[in-house]
Amino acid sequence: MAGRRRGTLAVAAVALYAAAASFTPPLSVAAAVAVVVPATVVLVLATRHRPGHGQQRPATDPRLRRTAAAWAVPVVLGATLELAAWLHQPAYNVASPDFPTLSLLLDPVTDGGPGRLVAWCIWLYVGWRVVRR
């Protein structure tokens, strides 16, 4: 029962955070802080030493290494395309329609209202999944 209550409170806290963050103006200090806070928490939780684990790491399954390598290709390609599109912008906060970034393509959905809230919830959920692994 206590675990279920804690899970419900965590979901409510994330939903409230997402709602508050969705009201921040894009490319503002408030929006940057709203992104940095959960990103820092996820980074700290993902890299912390878990009790009970020895210094030696278990051997990695070759299938897992192949899967990681296969996922690395589209991730690196996507990051490279995003960086190239961002570098072709006239200014950091002025998107170029000739080389659109992913955020420019998602602007019609995440410009405000429910779409922005849903995008925040998805982003926070993905971060939570990273920590859980």
Side-chain angles (χ1 to χ4, degrees):
M1 183 73 171
R4 185 180 199 119
R5 175 185 268 177
R6 189 171 40 178
T8 303
L9 288 175
V11 168
V14 167
L16 285 172
Y17 189 87
S22 69
F23 285 108
T24 60
L27 302 172
S28 66
V29 172
V33 170
V35 169
V36 168
V37 168
T40 303
V41 169
V42 165
L43 181 64
V44 168
L45 291 176
T47 59
R48 75 171 194 253
H49 176 71
R50 292 190 173 96
H53 287 83
Q55 294 295 80
Q56 292 184 345
R57 301 180 88 183
T60 306
D61 184 4
R63 292 177 298 170
L64 181 61
R65 284 197 307 266
R66 284 193 303 269
T67 302
W71 272 104
V73 171
V75 167
V76 168
L77 180 62
T80 302
L81 290 172
E82 277 289 298
L83 179 62
W86 183 70
L87 290 173
H88 280 90
Q89 293 182 170
Y92 83 95
N93 61 348
V94 179
S96 169
D98 296 332
F99 299 98
T101 59
L102 186 59
S103 61
L104 179 65
L105 295 174
L106 290 174
D107 265 354
V109 176
T110 61
D111 205 21
R116 191 167 168 95
L117 174 63
V118 168
W120 267 98
C121 289
I122 290 170
W123 185 75
L124 291 169
Y125 175 75
V126 167
W128 175 76
R129 293 296 298 174
V130 167
V131 171
R132 297 291 296 172
R133 294 207 158 236

